[in-house]
């Protein structure tokens, strides 16, 4: 619970349901997910918490690695200079100090993966939909981010 | 993307208006991480490579400076407290802050500044609910 941050769906709604004795059935779970639960982010935080505890540098290094992975995906889709600019930008590069940015890091990773799978086409389209679902599970605006990246890839990526 | 914020908050008229803000602050509020990608893709199309190289180097240096944020666990917990919005989560981070002060005192170091900070954070947390109600 320590790394939930501003995930209002978990903090407020879910706990309120529990306190009121409301059983969490598939329908209410779906509603809870749709209203903004971040299952993928929560899972990532839990894994790091189990493996490394609350050691600050581990969280920072992991965020930096996630950012590097995102830059690698940008490199694959758009080439060297966009990836270099994205990696070095003060907004993105400085964000590894911001622990709760992990939701955005994961959301962007899955949105980029979704665009990559879309480029590959064929049976990879199913993986693209799955990655879109994961982006949504990382953060509520993941679907919009993925659609934006699809559009960017369609306009500017030679792989699409 | 330029770090300028426009806010319209009917419940808080004092916060409504046009606020020029630092880039990072703006992003922390609006989480524009993914939006940087279309921005840099278009920039890479428009600018010559010499300019891109200079911009990349300058941005990289600024980013490297920004990474030097937490010199101690105490600063880390304070930052988490500032990042979190929910009073109960804030209370948890305040507790971690107190544990860190206790560790520091056990080592025989002076923790006067940290105690004052923890006092302020506890006071603010409790004033805004603190999950104690």
């Amino acid at each position: 619970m320590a790394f939930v941050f501003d995930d209002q769906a978990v903090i407020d709604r879910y706990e309120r349901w529990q306190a009121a004795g409301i059983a969490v059935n598939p329908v209410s779970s779906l509603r809870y997910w749709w209203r903004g639960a971040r299952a993928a982010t929560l899972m990532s935080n839990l894994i790091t918490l189990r493996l490394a505890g609350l050691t600050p540098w581990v969280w920072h290094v992991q965020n930096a690695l996630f950012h590097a992975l995102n830059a690698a995906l940008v490199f694959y889709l758009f080439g060297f200079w966009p990836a270099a600019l994205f990696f070095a930008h003060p907004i993105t590069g400085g964000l590894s100090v911001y622990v709760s940015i992990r939701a955005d890091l994961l959301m962007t990773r899955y949105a980029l993966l979704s665009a990559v799978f879309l480029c590959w086409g064929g049976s990879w389209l199913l993986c693209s939909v799955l990655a879109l679902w994961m982006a949504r599970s990382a953060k509520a605006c993941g679907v919009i981010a993925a659609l934006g990246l699809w559009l960017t890839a369609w306009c500017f990526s030679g792989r699409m | 993307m330029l770090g300028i914020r426009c806010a319209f908050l009917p419940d808080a008229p004092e916060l409504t208006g046009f606020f020029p803000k630092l880039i990072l602050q703006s992003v922390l509020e609006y989480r524009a991480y993914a939006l940087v990608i279309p921005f840099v893709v278009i920039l890479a199309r428009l600018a010559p490579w010499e300019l891109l190289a200079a911009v990349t180097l300058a941005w990289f240096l600024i980013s490297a400076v920004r990474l030097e944020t937490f010199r101690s666990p105490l600063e880390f917990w304070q930052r988490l407290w500032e990042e979190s919005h929910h009073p109960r989560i804030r209370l948890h981070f305040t507790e971690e802050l107190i544990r860190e002060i206790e560790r520091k005192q056990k080592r025989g170091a002076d923790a006067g500044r940290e105690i004052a900070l923890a006092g302020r954070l506890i006071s603010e947390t409790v004033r805004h609910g603190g999950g104690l109600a």
Side-chain angles (χ1 to χ4, degrees), chain A residues 2-160:
Chain A
F3 283 87
V4 169
F5 296 105
D6 54 352
D7 193 341
Q8 296 299 324
V10 174
I11 298 168
D12 288 336
R13 299 189 181 97
Y14 190 75
E15 287 207 338
R16 223 177 275 163
W17 291 351
Q18 279 192 325
I22 298 169
V24 182
N25 56 50
V27 175
S28 59
S29 294
L30 191 67
R31 208 174 63 179
Y32 153 73
W33 173 82
W34 182 251
R35 284 183 177 181
R38 300 171 181 176
T41 306
L42 203 59
M43 193 57 70
S44 171
N45 284 337
L46 279 174
I47 290 168
T48 310
L49 195 66
R50 292 283 178 210
L51 293 178
L54 293 170
T55 313
W57 70 265
V58 177
W59 294 84
H60 291 167
V61 167
Q62 203 171 21
N63 277 2
L65 288 175
F66 285 171
H67 175 53
L69 183 63
N70 286 341
L73 288 168
V74 173
F75 172 73
Y76 178 79
L77 280 171
F78 303 107
F80 176 74
W81 284 117
L85 289 163
F86 176 71
F87 185 71
H89 198 292
I91 285 176
T92 58
L95 285 178
S96 62
V97 300
Y98 178 44
V99 177
S100 56
I101 200 66
R102 182 163 300 193
D104 288 68
L105 291 168
L106 291 174
M107 174 199 83
T108 306
R109 183 213 291 173
Y110 290 123
L112 281 165
L113 276 175
S114 172
V116 168
F117 292 139
L118 197 67
C119 289
W120 291 354
S123 56
W124 290 104
L125 289 175
L126 191 64
C127 294
S128 182
V129 174
L130 186 67
L132 186 70
W133 179 276
M134 289 299 287
R136 174 60 187 78
S137 297
K139 196 171 180 180
C141 56
V143 175
I144 300 297
L147 293 177
L149 290 175
W150 286 4
L151 187 66
T152 310
W154 183 66
C155 292
F156 298 107
S157 175
R159 296 183 185 276
M160 188 69 91

Side-chain angles (χ1 to χ4, degrees), chain A residues 6 11 60 67 88 98 156, chain B residues 31 33 45 63 70 83 86:
Chain A
D6 54 352
I11 298 168
H60 291 167
H67 175 53
Y98 178 44
F156 298 107
Chain B
R31 321 291 206 272
Y33 180 80
R45 289 281 168 136
S63 298
F70 306 117
E83 286 180 16
H86 199 275

